Amino acid sequence: MRALTWHGKRDVRVDTVPDPAIRQPTDVIVRITSTGICGSDLHLYEVLGPFLDEGDILGHEPMGVVEEVGSEVTAVRPGDRVVVPFNVSCGTCHMCSDGLHSQCETTQVREQGSGAALFGYTKLYGQVPGGQAEFLRVPFGNTLPIKVPDGPADDRFVYLSDVLPTAWQAVEYAAVPSGGSLAVLGLGPIGDMCTRVARHRGVENVIGIDLVPERLERARANGITTVDLSAHSRDLTDVVRGLTGGRGPDAVIDAVGMEAHGSPGGKLAHTLAGLLPDSVAAPFMKTAGVDRMAALNSAFDLVRRGGTVSLAGVYGGTADPLPMLQIFDKQLQLRMGQANVHRWVPDILPLLVDDDPLGVDGFATHRLPLESGPQAYAQFQRKHDGMVKVLLQPGAVAA
Ligand SMILES: NC(=O)c1ccc[n+]([C@@H]2O[C@H](COP(=O)([O-])OP(=O)(O)OC[C@H]3O[C@@H](n4cnc5c(N)ncnc54)[C@H](O)[C@@H]3O)[C@@H](O)[C@H]2O)c1
Ligand SMILES: [Zn+2]
Ligand SMILES: [Zn+2]
C-alpha cells in the first residue's frame, strides 16, 4: 500500500510499504478514506525526530471503511464506516472504564513511562503504524473503532478522531462558570474548534488569540472576539483584561503547545537537540527543559485570579521552568492531557448527525490526495495559502 512515512527533520515521503494484516482475532483492517494532518504531527516533522525511525508511518486522525475483521470481532463488519480514535485504548480496563482512555492500562507504554499508545506517534507512544496510509490495522475491534452512519461526506465525522474530543475536553476542563469568559491561545484547528465548542456550550465571551491573519479572520467570522498577538505582544494582558471587565478571563485554554512563537530559549533547545545523534538527543529531550513556553506563560498571565488554565497544546520537556510563585499566588487550577476520545463521543456524535452546530462541514480548508502529503506538511507548517486544516484522501487521484 501507499503510506506517508517519516525520513528526517522536515522530510516525509509517500512510500510503498507492506499492507497491514490481521494479527490478533480482535483486529480490524480499515481502508482509509480521509485522514487529517494535526498540529501534533508538526512536532514530529520538526522537533521529535529523536523518537522516530526512518520509515515510521505517521497519522492519527483517520476514518474509513472496514475491509476485514478478525475471528472474534462482532461489533463491526466489512463495509461499516468507522472513525478511529487517536489513542489506542482497550475500552475495558480500569482507566478506560473511568473515561481516561489516554491512560489505558492495557496499552500504556511502560518502558517509556508513557500513557496509552497512540497511532503514528513515536517510540514514546508505542511506535504504532499510523493512519496517513491506504490501510490501517486497528486493534480492539469490538471497542475502539467508532461506527458512524453512511451518507454524509467524511468531513462530518473525521474530526471525531482527535480535533473534536480534544477541543471538547479542553473546554470541559476549562470549567467556565455560567456567564463567564474564556480566552483561547492559538487558533489552529484545535483552538478554532475550542472557540466553537465553547460558544455552543453557552460561553458568550470567547476571545481568540493568534498571529496568523487568516486564522484570526476565520474565528472572527464565527463571532469570536480576536486579538492579534503580532500587534499586542507587549500589552496582551492589558488588552484581554479590557475585554473581561478588568479582571482577566475565568479560564484560558492553551491550544499552542511546545512550539510557541516568541520563546527563543526553547527554540535554541530544539535546535540543539536536532544537532545531536538520536541516542543522545532522546534522553536530552526527556530530561531537559525543551519546550517553548511563551503560550503557557501567557495563559498564567492572562487568567484571572482563582481561574483555570486548560492545556490542550502538547508539552514534552521535564525541566521547564514554571512560574510557581505566580501560579500559587494567583491560586490557579491546571488541567491537561491527551484527549480521552471515547469519553466524549456520546456528547459529540449527536451534534454531527444534526444541523452541524460546530460547522464541521466547512472546517477543512484543503482536501488533497495522499500523494500530496509531503507538500501538505510543508504548507501546514508554514501556514501558507490559508491552510488551517487539511484532510488527505488516500482514495483520491492526484490532480
Ligand atoms: N491534547 C490533545 O489530545 C491534543 C490533540 C491534538 C492536538 N494537540 C496539540 O494542540 C496544539 C495545537 O494543535 P493545532 O492542530 O491547532 O496546531 P497548529 O500548529 O496549527 O496551531 C497552533 C497555533 O498557535 C499559534 N501560536 C503560536 N505561538 C503562539 C503564541 N505564543 N500565542 C498564541 N498563539 C500562538 C500559531 O500561529 C498557530 O495558529 C499542538 O500542540 C498539538 O500538539 C493536543
Ligand atoms: Zn492530533
Ligand atoms: Zn484500557
Side-chain angles (χ1 to χ4, degrees):
M1 67 167 180
R2 301 290 281 164
L4 187 132
T5 57
W6 184 91
H7 287 266
K9 184 174 172 181
R10 284 190 226 132
D11 181 2
V12 296
R13 304 177 197 167
V14 179
D15 291 335
T16 299
V17 302
D19 286 355
I22 301 273
R23 289 202 302 219
Q24 301 289 333
T26 49
D27 284 352
V28 166
I29 302 293
V30 177
R31 178 170 50 81
I32 304 302
T33 52
S34 291
T35 185
I37 303 180
C38 179
S40 300
D41 292 324
L42 294 180
H43 306 322
L44 310 182
Y45 192 58
E46 182 78 35
V47 300
L48 292 179
F51 301 107
L52 287 134
D53 285 332
E54 207 169 341
D56 281 355
I57 303 174
L58 305 187
H60 59 264
E61 302 190 348
M63 73 171 288
V65 177
V66 174
E67 183 83 4
E68 196 186 340
V69 299
S71 58
E72 288 175 20
V73 174
T74 53
V76 293
R77 56 176 117 169
D80 283 351
R81 195 181 195 198
V82 294
V83 177
V84 183
F86 74 93
N87 13 61
V88 185
S89 56
C90 75
T92 51
C93 71
H94 180 81
M95 288 291 161
C96 287
S97 305
D98 217 17
L100 288 166
H101 299 79
S102 59
Q103 312 302 330
C104 173
E105 287 177 340
T106 310
T107 73
Q108 273 176 22
V109 185
R110 292 185 174 80
E111 61 278 18
Q112 296 283 352
S114 303
L118 306 178
F119 286 101
Y121 218 76
T122 76
K123 293 173 202 170
L124 290 174
Y125 289 101
Q127 209 166 27
V128 183
Q132 287 161 2
E134 287 184 293
F135 296 95
L136 177 68
R137 182 180 83 92
V138 179
F140 309 111
N142 288 320
T143 46
L144 184 54
I146 305 162
K147 221 162 129 170
V148 295
D150 289 326
D154 281 3
D155 298 51
R156 264 295 159 116
F157 302 114
V158 68
Y159 308 113
L160 260 185
S161 56
D162 181 338
V163 176
L164 285 165
T166 298
W168 198 274
Q169 178 169 302
V171 171
E172 181 78 20
Y173 285 2
V176 181
S178 167
S181 52
L182 172 72
V184 179
L185 285 157
L187 294 170
I190 299 299
D192 183 348
M193 189 55 79
C194 287
T195 68
R196 297 174 191 221
V197 168
R199 287 296 289 270
H200 174 74
R201 294 178 64 175
V203 184
E204 275 181 23
N205 189 4
V206 181
I207 300 159
I209 302 159
D210 203 301
L211 56 162
V212 179
E214 301 90 359
R215 294 178 179 212
L216 290 160
E217 178 48 41
R218 194 167 134 111
R220 261 196 307 275
N222 285 325
I224 304 301
T225 306
T226 59
V227 180
D228 182 351
L229 185 67
S230 60
H232 294 288
S233 58
R234 288 174 197 287
D235 62 350
L236 182 67
T237 305
D238 292 342
V239 172
V240 173
R241 281 196 186 147
L243 296 167
T244 50
R247 199 172 283 131
D250 296 297
V252 177
I253 292 175
D254 172 351
V256 181
M258 63 164 103
E259 290 183 71
H261 179 85
S263 305
K267 180 146 191 172
L268 179 66
H270 283 162
T271 307
L272 281 176
L275 298 173
L276 300 169
D278 284 2
S279 57
V280 183
F284 170 76
M285 299 272 295
K286 280 180 97 173
T287 53
V290 294
D291 294 310
R292 301 189 207 163
M293 302 286 282
L296 186 56
N297 286 330
S298 296
F300 297 140
D301 277 341
L302 294 179
V303 70
R304 71 153 161 85
R305 289 183 172 273
T308 300
V309 171
S310 169
L311 290 182
V314 169
Y315 288 89
T318 53
D320 294 306
L322 277 178
M324 284 311 298
L325 170 64
Q326 184 186 34
I327 296 170
F328 187 84
D329 176 65
K330 284 183 81 172
Q331 212 164 353
L332 303 185
Q333 335 204 22
L334 262 177
R335 292 202 74 184
M336 66 192 85
Q338 305 278 9
N340 303 300
V341 173
H342 267 289
R343 166 73 182 82
W344 311 113
V345 169
D347 295 298
I348 300 167
L349 195 51
L351 306 177
L352 306 179
V353 292
D354 196 359
D355 57 357
D356 190 18
L358 300 175
V360 294
D361 283 345
F363 194 71
T365 51
H366 294 71
R367 290 175 196 78
L368 295 168
L370 180 67
E371 298 294 327
S372 304
Q375 162 207 330
Y377 266 76
Q379 196 173 333
F380 181 44
Q381 189 191 40
R382 290 192 210 109
K383 304 174 178 63
H384 276 180
D385 191 28
M387 185 178 276
V388 182
K389 191 66 189 179
V390 58
L391 295 177
L392 300 175
Q393 298 174 316
V397 180

